[in-house]
Amino acid sequence: MEVDKKDENESESSEQVVNPWEVSAKDGGKIDYDKLIDKFGCQRLDESLIDRVQRLTSRQPHVFLRRGVFFAHRDFNEILDAYEKGDKFYLYTGRGPSSEALHLGHLIPFMFTKYLQEAFKVPLVIQLTDDEKCMWKNLSVEESQRLARENAKDIIACGFDVTKTFIFSDFDYVGGAFYKNMVKVSKCVTLNKAMGIFGFSGEDHIGKLSFPPVQAVPSFPSSFPHLFPGKDNLRCLIPCAIDQDPYFRMTRDVAPRLGYSKPALIESSFFPALQGENGKMSASDPNSAIYVTDTAKDIKNKINKYAFSGGQDSVEKHRELGANLEVDIPVKYLSFFLEDDSELEHIKKEYGEGRMLTGEVKKKLTEVLTEMVERHRRSRAAVTDEMVDAFMAVRPLPSMFE
């Protein structure tokens, strides 16, 4: 069984809570990813797998792989085994549209998925769970659908190939073969099992109980008969943050009983709030994150005022002791978004040994993020409603596999 030792209610049995709706550590501390790997039963992504990705794709691994942002997996090695033998796979990721604009943390899975799509030359399905956000965030159906289209524009702006990408909203697409698979999954998961995996209680409305199969079945190719006719054995790889793991532990448990392959996962750590890894990015606190709608002035102000520093409280002390890189948010953000490995290592060395000051590091981060956000804003402005319609149209993809 995929979930037998991992399906206890995390909110009651652990010092840290990590599930699709809540991420917190005891006493506001840091998430212990080693404990999380052990609890969930996934595997750490090691250097041998990263080297293998480089060999198979003939391109440098993405910065998120090189620096351990994507750090855990389930059966990623099997995906690479199959690919090496000439068997194709498809990618599946998603977005819960609960806000008008995305922040940088929201972009991470899409930036990485774009790299995977290009490196392996495979098709991609992107699920917009507007139904989920309608139920969890108390949004109206209409508002959830509107946000889904707005978020789709930000996703498209990441540069996905329309000839290899199908974006769908649950409200629009669920039915037919997709719904048949949902019912099959639903019949395999008991109420006790769902409550154990997801921590549902008697106070939750039944819509929440019914949702997990909706997120499960995009990992089965038969849910997309217009894309993968006759390819029911096609493997699926899911790039996602590790808080989504409970959905796919459930999916991997039931897949063999339905005659499907278990989806493989490659999972990321969490993107920290500006206030520190103990902080939480929140839509109610716009100063906890950098948004793709922020101006250059907004970005500079947020970094200077709110980005938690590991530097010392005086220049003299900083020159003597250097910065604590373990808690420094500007360095952590640069580790995500500064492409040049040697430049990053230089900054960490100089800053950690006190020769570079906090203000200099924040200035560099401001430059990197301003360029990134402005580039995204230009791409987003070019995305028309007609382009969204093209990505969301139910149609065959003419060049799914090259």
Side-chain angles (χ1 to χ4, degrees):
M1 289 271 291
E2 188 75 28
V3 296
D4 54 359
K5 72 168 184 161
K6 311 295 177 189
D7 61 1
E8 67 270 12
N9 184 340
E10 284 130 356
S11 65
E12 296 177 355
S13 66
S14 174
E15 294 181 346
Q16 56 187 16
V17 179
V18 176
N19 62 45
W21 312 286
E22 181 182 357
V23 175
S24 63
K26 184 180 181 182
D27 300 326
K30 292 171 62 175
I31 294 295
D32 187 325
Y33 289 105
D34 288 328
K35 285 185 178 179
L36 201 56
I37 284 175
D38 180 62
K39 181 181 181 63
F40 283 0
C42 46
Q43 295 174 282
R44 187 164 283 278
L45 197 66
D46 60 31
E47 284 296 324
S48 66
L49 280 176
I50 298 171
D51 291 343
R52 196 172 172 205
V53 169
Q54 180 165 358
R55 178 170 58 82
L56 290 175
T57 62
S58 300
R59 59 189 293 170
Q60 185 182 38
H62 194 278
V63 64
F64 295 161
L65 275 181
R66 304 199 304 269
R67 299 181 189 157
V69 174
F70 279 79
F71 73 103
H73 75 100
R74 293 180 183 273
D75 292 349
F76 185 49
N77 54 311
E78 293 187 12
I79 289 286
L80 297 182
D81 288 344
Y83 184 80
E84 192 163 21
K85 291 187 293 188
D87 296 332
K88 297 294 186 178
F89 62 92
Y90 73 100
L91 297 162
Y92 155 41
T93 195
R95 160 78 184 142
S98 60
S99 60
E100 191 85 33
L102 306 188
H103 58 58
L104 297 187
H106 293 144
L107 285 185
I108 285 169
F110 296 108
M111 294 168 68
F112 187 63
T113 300
K114 177 178 180 287
Y115 152 77
L116 291 173
Q117 183 184 55
E118 292 177 348
F120 289 97
K121 300 180 175 62
V122 291
L124 162 67
V125 296
I126 298 175
Q127 180 180 41
L128 301 174
T129 55
D130 42 10
D131 52 343
E132 176 198 21
K133 294 308 174 184
C134 177
M135 291 187 282
W136 262 270
K137 297 292 186 179
N138 200 29
L139 297 170
S140 69
V141 171
E142 293 75 19
E143 178 65 0
S144 296
Q145 289 181 296
R146 187 187 72 80
L147 291 175
R149 282 188 68 88
E150 290 303 305
N151 286 188
K153 292 176 182 178
D154 275 315
I155 293 168
I156 292 166
C158 292
F160 291 104
D161 181 349
V162 70
T163 68
K164 289 188 173 66
T165 306
F166 174 53
I167 301 176
F168 67 99
S169 88
D170 289 341
F171 277 133
D172 290 337
Y173 185 74
V174 171
F178 194 98
Y179 186 66
K180 289 177 186 176
N181 277 335
M182 284 171 49
V183 170
K184 291 176 184 178
V185 171
S186 299
K187 289 176 67 177
C188 291
V189 183
T190 65
L191 177 60
N192 285 339
K193 181 65 72 174
M195 293 175 74
I197 297 171
F198 299 104
F200 295 136
S201 73
E203 301 305 309
D204 285 307
H205 60 68
I206 60 174
K208 293 183 178 181
L209 280 167
S210 70
F211 177 74
V214 185
Q215 187 155 325
V217 302
S219 57
F220 304 151
S222 63
S223 297
F224 306 100
H226 67 287
L227 298 180
F228 310 121
K231 292 185 171 65
D232 289 359
N233 294 322
L234 195 64
R235 290 292 300 264
C236 175
L237 173 63
I238 305 169
C240 62
I242 199 167
D243 61 335
Q244 300 299 301
D245 191 86
Y247 282 119
F248 301 113
R249 296 205 303 274
M250 180 198 76
T251 307
R252 286 168 55 86
D253 182 46
V254 304
R257 286 187 270 168
L258 301 178
Y260 297 125
S261 299
K262 293 181 178 183
L265 281 82
I266 183 165
E267 301 176 312
S268 73
S269 56
F270 303 116
F271 190 67
L274 280 167
Q275 288 82 353
E277 290 203 73
N278 301 351
K280 185 171 180 0
M281 284 186 287
S282 169
S284 62
D285 180 9
N287 294 319
S288 67
I290 304 292
Y291 286 81
V292 296
T293 50
D294 283 345
T295 64
K297 182 179 178 180
D298 292 334
I299 294 169
K300 181 179 179 179
N301 289 343
K302 284 184 179 182
I303 291 172
N304 286 338
K305 187 172 182 179
Y306 299 107
F308 186 82
S309 169
Q312 306 300 328
D313 52 14
S314 72
V315 172
E316 294 76 14
K317 194 174 179 181
H318 184 82
R319 295 294 191 199
E320 177 189 354
L321 300 176
N324 180 353
L325 302 184
E326 286 300 309
V327 301
D328 193 89
I329 288 299
V331 164
K332 289 188 182 296
Y333 276 30
L334 286 171
S335 295
F336 277 80
F337 299 120
L338 180 60
E339 183 67 32
D340 189 315
D341 291 337
S342 60
E343 185 178 5
L344 177 65
E345 289 308 308
H346 174 76
I347 290 171
K348 290 167 71 172
K349 180 177 174 60
E350 294 296 298
Y351 188 41
E353 295 179 2
R355 289 183 293 276
M356 182 177 272
L357 299 176
T358 296
E360 296 173 88
V361 179
K362 287 189 172 183
K363 182 175 183 292
K364 179 62 182 179
L365 177 63
T366 299
E367 293 169 358
V368 170
L369 295 190
T370 299
E371 180 185 352
M372 177 182 164
V373 169
E374 289 185 349
R375 184 170 62 246
H376 182 87
R377 186 184 295 115
R378 289 194 298 271
S379 297
R380 170 68 157 74
V383 178
T384 64
D385 284 329
E386 290 75 20
M387 289 172 66
V388 176
D389 291 341
F391 273 91
M392 299 184 75
V394 178
R395 82 285 186 200
L397 298 181
S399 59
M400 285 195 304
F401 300 105
E402 289 183 4

